[in-house]
Amino acid sequence: MFLQVGMKSASKLRPVLVSTMSHNYSVAASGRIRRESICAQFNRSSLTTTRYFSEKKSSSADQSQERQDPNADGSNRTDIVLTPGQKVVAGTRLTLWAGALLFAGTCAYYIGKELLPTKMSPNTIFSRASDVVLQSKEVQNRFGEPLKVYGRDHGGHREGRRNFIEHTEYTDKDDGSKRCRVRFNLQGKFGGAFVFCEVSSDMPSGEFVYLLVQDKRNGHVITLVDNRSRLLTQRMAGGSTEGREALENLLGARKN
């Protein structure tokens, strides 16, 4: 009797056990499938990440190679890379060369200004004034021959130190013309003198505003050329020929 009851109970529990085992198997199978899916996704993600970093590393290597090889693109060029020390040296050399060129240009300008034969240059004025002074009979008789002229006297006997001609350049405040005054020395058998000369940009080449010779011994002045009155007359007449002639006639009539 107990055996029959047990067999009946077992027959009743068998469907429940089968159902439970089926359910457990299904849960286990679905878990295994989910794990396999997660593992597959992780593997794909790892593969993608690995491929990305591999491509990035390859790209970086190519760029580095291009930087190291400037001719990688097929062009034939040579890039010079300077260190900071070399840059400092190159900058210093460029600065020195620029300073040297600027200094040379400045010297060339002033040398050309002194030596070029323009009517306002000191050496041109000195040369023309010297010709007039040396040919003057009054000067020859007073200072004796032979006569010689020279520039600034430094107290020495070297001729090269006497080549500098003292001069002053300015603009006349009355007529606005550019003026240049020069002074040089005259030496003769009986003594020496200072020679003073001035030219104006409004006057023709070869003419002087004045040319004076002053004896160093007593200060006596020999006037060789003096056009200051004429320039004053021209300025008062307004620069016209008719006005100048009328003013000269008026002054001449008063003198008479």
Side-chain angles (χ1 to χ4, degrees), residues 128-129 132-133 136 138 196-199 203 206-213 221-230:
R128 291 174 178 172
V132 176
V133 170
S136 171
E138 185 177 1
F196 301 92
C197 179
E198 182 174 329
V199 297
M203 301 180 68
E207 292 191 6
F208 307 99
V209 177
Y210 59 80
L211 179 57
L212 311 174
V213 179
V221 177
I222 300 175
T223 303
L224 300 179
V225 178
D226 192 353
N227 289 316
R228 288 174 289 186
S229 298
R230 193 186 75 177

Side-chain angles (χ1 to χ4, degrees), residues 62-78:
D62 294 340
Q63 292 178 358
S64 176
Q65 185 177 2
E66 289 179 358
R67 285 195 298 267
Q68 294 176 359
D69 186 8
N71 299 325
D73 56 353
S75 62
N76 187 12
R77 65 178 186 270
T78 302

Side-chain angles (χ1 to χ4, degrees), residues 114-220:
E114 293 291 333
L115 299 180
L116 288 179
T118 60
K119 73 173 187 176
M120 299 295 293
S121 65
N123 284 280
T124 300
I125 300 171
F126 168 74
S127 178
R128 291 174 178 172
S130 299
D131 293 338
V132 176
V133 170
L134 295 177
Q135 294 174 6
S136 171
K137 294 298 181 181
E138 185 177 1
V139 174
Q140 293 174 2
N141 294 333
R142 187 173 187 86
F143 299 99
E145 294 184 292
L147 296 172
K148 64 178 180 179
V149 291
Y150 54 92
R152 177 184 294 177
D153 189 3
H154 296 275
H157 300 286
R158 295 173 58 186
E159 294 295 332
R161 301 180 62 183
R162 296 182 171 186
N163 292 333
F164 178 76
I165 307 302
E166 293 182 88
H167 65 279
T168 303
E169 296 179 355
Y170 71 100
T171 301
D172 188 77
K173 62 180 181 180
D174 295 325
D175 59 7
S177 63
K178 293 182 179 180
R179 303 289 184 93
C180 183
R181 293 174 180 169
V182 300
R183 191 187 84 162
F184 56 92
N185 295 277
L186 170 71
Q187 186 64 44
K189 184 179 180 180
F190 305 132
F194 293 115
V195 180
F196 301 92
C197 179
E198 182 174 329
V199 297
S200 172
S201 60
D202 291 343
M203 301 180 68
S205 179
E207 292 191 6
F208 307 99
V209 177
Y210 59 80
L211 179 57
L212 311 174
V213 179
Q214 184 182 27
D215 195 331
K216 292 181 180 180
R217 297 169 294 179
N218 52 25
H220 178 75

